[in-house]
Amino acid sequence: MTAEHPQQETRTFETEVQQLLHLMVHALYSHREIFLRELISNASDAIDKLRFEGLKNEELFEGQKEGRIRLVPDSEAGTLTIIDNGIGMDRDEVVENLGTIAHSGSRAFVDRLTGDEDQDVELIGQFGVGFYSAFMVADRVEVTTRRAGVDTSLGVRWESDGTGSYTVETIERAELGTAITLHLKDDAREFLEEAELRRVVKTYSDHIPYPVVLEGGEGEETLNEASALWARPRNEISEEEYRNFYAHVAHGDTDPLTWLHFHAEGTTEYTALLYLPSQPPLDLWQPEARHGVRLYVRRVFITDQARDLLPTYLRFLRGVVDAPDLPLNVSREMLQSDQQVARIRKGVVKRVLKRLADMAENEPDRYRKFWDNFGAVLKEGIPEDSANQDELAGLLRFHTSKRPDEWVSLADYKAAMRDEQKAIYYLTGDDLETLKNSPQLEVFKKKGVEVLLLTDPVDEWVVMHLSEYDGTPLTSVAHGDLDLGELESEEEKQVEEATEADYGSLVGTLKDRLGEAVSDVRLSHRLTDSPSCIVAGENALGEHMERLLKAANQPVPESQPILEVNPDHPLVQTMKEIHGTDPADKRLGEWGWLLLDQARLAQGAPLPDPAATARRLSEVMNDLAGSGPSRIIT
Ligand SMILES: Nc1ncnc2c1ncn2[C@@H]1O[C@H](COP(=O)(O)OP(=O)(O)OP(=O)(O)O)[C@@H](O)[C@H]1O
């Protein structure tokens, strides 16, 4: 006992834990039994950790090498105790783990809470929130624990009724590991019954690699299969067993979308059981997201932080890789540079991509579900993993101008291309609605050419790295001088040249008036209905990409857009007439600015000087109202 750690102290739960506990107490009856899955899962993880630490320091086992989880119901006391001989916790760990929400996953869970009890309770069922689920069935929970290897005088006792606070004290404890005693609520006494415990363990924890032993009236009984599921032959594993194992590795109740279970031999031997989730994990977009694939060496858990085992664009996978050839004492740091890990990664990536390709071809509905949830993550593979670019490109799906509600593959796009079309056209932006109505699409609509509409931020990086697909270049419709090649007839080209000459001096004047705000002004070949649009230079990043970089606090090179004006639009034609009469007419400059600003607005870009735009607009309206010098626009 130290001054820092008084013998017994009462502490309050972190606010988020209180929210969570409140929900637990009100959780739906049908979900309650998952508390046992969660506590057994924690016990199993604790034994995994001790086995790993014990590899380097045998003494930690304190003579009990076999992992074991015991269930002790006591009908008289109305308690159920779950006991493990795992790593245990010291006092600081107890406070950290059982008083706060330490994990990004659980924190993201709390962030998702809506305040609507029914919906929130659904979330618990889907995601599982660990230790605190004990309060679904217990009105008081006691934890006694001792970290393996520390003195028996440094055991810890924690207790709470799950309302606002808990007590923690240092105690003498002979056994290592953790015992969790649940004082069951009156309406949860079925969890004292052996038959019920047998059923729940069989349903949810059969695959746990350590025996779950019931200590009941008739002595001891092992309730589960207690073998590592992934190490068994595929044809001996039932679908239900696969699904239940998923609940263990993914900490949740939902079914997986599908799974792959395979054994690889050759230079590197390994077994992998990998699941594709049917729902995105809550922390999918958090940089510190928990890694979902656990690495084992000959069934000994090594780490769930082997970030080099899988590329980040497959971070949604859940499951296990068991690599018997890795040294058992491999340190987590060593994994980074290990050649075998690199080979396993390569093999796993190939298999997963192949599986996705098969799914896309043979089970399009399932693939669509996958893409809805994880497409934006998988796309990160294009910039990240050039070695697998072709396979990844085949898996991409996009909305398009002709099929905005569908997911279209690049192969489908190519199959629907017009004969004269020599490029895959795309447009990037913030959202589908803005893109669908973008002026840049006008000429493509007129000519019946489909354009990919890219709305995920990562798409900018995808098109930067994917310059072609199956021999056809990808071309932005908002960059450079649009060359429609054979999509344009000779006649159209001649008309364009004539117009070019006709409008040359107006364009020159506009360029002059807009000065530094634009890098160029030119006549547009992409517009049919709108008077103007902005485009980026051939090699410039583009307005959307610049905005994304700025939002991410990245340095952005200075670049000005090119303003394109539509010679077929009455407004531009009127401007040419005014210019013919008096090239110094003030209105030309003012309207030039408005053409530029409305082009920005049409693509969802911010206005650099909104007050100036507003002033120009009122002037134009004022003119229209008849109080000004002219009423040219009618
Ligand atoms: N039986 C146990 N032995 C040792 N440590 C435990 C035990 N049970 C829980 N813990 C510790 O408490 C932490 C919090 O447990 P909790 O079940 O709330 O979350 P988790 O298991 O880490 O995450 P999740 O349940 O979301 O997967 C665990 O990470 C672990 O460090």
Side-chain angles (χ1 to χ4, degrees), residues 38-39 41-47 49 84 86-89 93 97-98 100 102-103 105-106 127-132 145 177-180 250-251 290:
E38 298 289 313
L39 297 183
S41 192
N42 282 350
S44 165
D45 289 349
I47 299 172
K49 284 184 201 152
D84 67 66
I87 190 77
M89 288 175 272
E93 287 169 328
N97 293 329
L98 310 184
T100 64
H103 291 289
S106 316
F127 296 102
V129 275
F131 171 77
Y132 300 110
T145 180
T178 304
I180 298 179
H251 300 281
R290 227 190 307 184

Side-chain angles (χ1 to χ4, degrees), residues 284-554:
L284 188 63
W285 296 105
Q286 295 186 351
E288 77 282 18
R290 227 190 307 184
H291 205 68
V293 174
R294 298 162 172 236
L295 176 66
Y296 286 73
V297 172
R298 274 167 268 150
R299 296 177 218 178
V300 176
F301 170 77
I302 304 295
T303 177
D304 55 6
Q305 293 299 323
R307 293 191 174 271
D308 302 283
L309 201 55
L310 279 178
T312 49
Y313 69 87
L314 295 180
R315 63 181 172 275
F316 45 80
L317 288 174
R318 296 289 177 263
V320 169
V321 170
D322 193 332
D325 298 339
L326 285 180
L328 257 178
N329 61 357
V330 63
S331 73
R332 288 166 204 188
E333 296 70 44
M334 266 165 66
L335 289 173
Q336 281 178 12
S337 51
D338 192 282
Q339 281 308 309
Q340 298 207 57
V341 172
R343 278 198 290 269
I344 295 173
R345 172 186 166 120
K346 211 169 148 197
V348 167
V349 169
K350 285 259 178 273
R351 290 273 193 150
V352 172
L353 296 184
K354 167 99 180 38
R355 175 52 170 273
L356 289 172
D358 288 347
M359 197 199 294
E361 181 156 340
N362 303 316
E363 302 172 286
D365 288 346
R366 201 196 287 262
Y367 189 72
R368 197 193 152 96
K369 274 192 208 136
F370 163 77
W371 189 261
D372 281 338
N373 285 322
F374 303 113
V377 180
L378 191 76
K379 280 189 223 170
E380 293 173 14
I382 296 279
E384 255 179 51
D385 185 0
S386 51
N388 287 302
Q389 193 176 84
D390 291 348
E391 288 80 358
L392 282 160
L395 294 169
L396 299 176
R397 297 291 180 274
F398 300 105
H399 295 303
T400 76
S401 53
K402 283 190 178 172
R403 294 176 273 181
D405 302 323
E406 289 174 39
W407 285 123
V408 178
S409 71
L410 292 173
D412 284 348
Y413 176 97
K414 274 195 73 171
M417 262 170 44
R418 287 188 48 181
D419 289 345
E420 311 83 355
Q421 192 180 337
K422 296 287 178 265
I424 297 172
Y425 292 105
Y426 68 84
L427 178 62
T428 59
D430 292 336
D431 60 87
L432 203 55
E433 266 332 288
T434 313
L435 288 186
K436 274 198 298 198
N437 299 318
S438 168
Q440 270 114 349
L441 292 183
E442 288 172 4
V443 74
F444 293 90
K445 283 185 190 154
K446 184 173 145 203
K447 295 194 175 291
V449 172
E450 192 167 24
V451 177
L452 303 176
L453 304 179
L454 313 185
T455 52
D456 282 322
V458 64
D459 288 331
E460 290 280 5
W461 281 268
V462 170
V463 290
M464 207 187 268
H465 288 82
L466 189 72
S467 51
E468 56 142 52
Y469 172 76
D470 188 20
T472 308
L474 270 77
T475 302
S476 163
V477 305
H479 275 74
D481 199 1
L482 186 67
D483 178 5
L484 288 174
E486 291 168 31
L487 288 166
E488 245 176 354
S489 65
E490 268 318 301
E491 207 177 319
E492 280 172 322
K493 282 183 189 148
Q494 277 169 11
V495 173
E496 269 170 21
E497 269 164 38
T499 327
E500 206 77 57
D502 233 14
Y503 278 77
S505 54
L506 170 67
V507 164
T509 302
L510 287 176
K511 209 183 313 194
D512 219 34
R513 303 279 174 96
L514 296 175
E516 304 267 290
V518 291
S519 63
D520 198 6
V521 178
R522 64 189 180 206
L523 289 190
S524 185
H525 311 309
R526 10 188 153 223
L527 300 173
T528 58
D529 303 331
S530 303
S532 64
C533 69
I534 52 174
V535 297
E538 197 70 64
N539 299 314
L541 288 173
E543 187 278 326
H544 181 243
M545 178 66 146
E546 286 178 11
R547 237 182 314 141
L548 289 176
L549 288 174
K550 273 186 201 148
N553 283 327
Q554 299 285 325

Side-chain angles (χ1 to χ4, degrees), residues 88-95 145-147 150 154 156:
M89 288 175 272
D90 64 25
R91 187 161 172 150
D92 289 342
E93 287 169 328
V94 167
V95 171
T145 180
R146 180 170 64 81
R147 201 174 206 290
V150 309
L154 293 176
V156 185

